[in-house]
Amino acid sequence: MKSKMKWAGLLILAMLTVPLFAAVGMAKESKTVKITFINSKGEIQSQLEDAAKRFGKENPGVNLEIVPCPVGQSPFERVSALYAAGSAPTLLMLDGGDLPNLKDKLANLSREKWVKDAAANTLDDCTINKKVIAFPFTVEGYGLIYNKVVLDKAFGGKFDPAAIKTIQGLENAFKKVEASGVAPLIISPMDWSLAAHFLCIAYREQSNRPAAVEQFLENLKKGKVDFG
């Protein structure tokens, strides 16, 4: 992707330096190395736990524990609490915006092999003071949920979503739905959905250059953007 803003639901995987070194020390004292992983996506907790079990079977002597974030608590709050308690995780999944607050506690990953394979701009949010301190990835994506009954009626038969291959085709479908007397597009009114999953699309599409997007946001804050 050309821009860091192109990442949908950007998440960051980082390693805290203290628990990482502690895990290395444990390897010398016992046969089992414990790795703790903070999961900020409750929807995939069970899948990660299953993956951790498989990982353990394939890597005897390594115990991978998936630590969930409680409902209503941000990943940064969870990590901060664990760090204050002296039990910081080895790996953590969090939003890119939280990295600056943890930059002094994260390991330098600049020499990892995968760094050279990263697409342009994808490491921008992961790089602070010229050091790559996290690995970017996504577990979400944008999509359209459609009402089959409404579409079948609008198209006068069984609707085939695979038939829509272009933006023009999608626009034509919207027009058919509207002609049938139904609103063609409904946007979720929930604050978290509007702010985190919808409005950011309008922001990121201002340019494929991160600096230009940042400037747009600054102008927006100052009231210099004309939406007319």
Side-chain angles (χ1 to χ4, degrees):
M1 296 182 182
K2 294 182 179 180
S3 167
K4 68 178 180 181
M5 301 299 287
K6 292 293 184 181
W7 285 84
L10 177 67
L11 295 171
I12 299 295
L13 180 63
M15 293 189 293
L16 290 172
T17 55
V18 173
L20 176 63
F21 294 149
V24 174
M26 288 173 58
K28 297 179 180 179
E29 299 174 3
S30 67
K31 295 182 179 180
T32 301
V33 174
K34 182 177 181 180
I35 298 175
T36 51
F37 179 94
I38 287 290
N39 171 34
S40 62
K41 301 295 296 181
E43 306 94 314
I44 60 173
Q45 178 67 21
S46 61
Q47 290 87 341
L48 285 178
E49 290 176 345
D50 290 340
K53 291 178 182 178
R54 293 197 301 272
F55 178 83
K57 291 180 180 179
E58 296 172 1
N59 298 273
V62 181
N63 178 25
L64 175 58
E65 178 185 358
I66 308 299
V67 182
C69 281
V71 176
Q73 186 179 47
S74 72
F76 177 71
E77 291 173 336
R78 178 64 164 157
V79 172
S80 298
L82 291 174
Y83 208 91
S87 56
T90 312
L91 303 171
L92 56 146
M93 182 196 301
L94 71 163
D95 295 327
D98 290 329
L99 283 180
N101 297 322
L102 293 168
K103 64 180 185 298
D104 296 329
K105 297 180 174 63
L106 301 178
N108 184 357
L109 307 176
S110 301
R111 295 185 178 181
E112 295 299 315
K113 294 180 179 179
W114 51 262
V115 172
K116 68 178 184 301
D117 298 322
N121 300 315
T122 56
L123 295 180
D124 289 358
D125 282 342
C126 306
T127 304
I128 296 180
N129 296 330
K130 298 182 179 181
K131 295 180 180 180
V132 177
I133 57 176
F135 176 90
F137 71 104
T138 180
V139 293
E140 293 183 342
Y142 293 111
L144 296 175
I145 300 175
Y146 68 93
N147 187 316
K148 187 177 185 302
V149 175
V150 171
L151 269 296
D152 284 348
K153 179 181 178 181
F155 277 76
K158 186 176 181 180
F159 170 67
D160 179 15
I164 299 179
K165 303 180 183 298
T166 64
I167 293 178
Q168 185 61 53
L170 182 61
E171 183 178 350
N172 291 337
F174 285 162
K175 290 179 179 179
K176 285 189 176 184
V177 172
E178 187 173 25
S180 71
V182 179
L185 185 63
I186 297 177
I187 299 173
S188 170
M190 293 181 284
D191 292 343
W192 63 265
S193 180
L194 287 173
H197 293 170
F198 185 73
L199 291 180
C200 58
I201 299 176
Y203 299 151
R204 78 179 190 196
E205 291 300 330
Q206 296 300 315
S207 174
N208 62 2
R209 294 182 298 109
V213 175
E214 293 294 339
Q215 185 59 55
F216 170 78
L217 293 175
E218 286 301 317
N219 291 338
L220 188 64
K221 294 175 185 177
K222 297 176 181 178
K224 296 182 179 181
V225 177
D226 182 6
F227 289 101

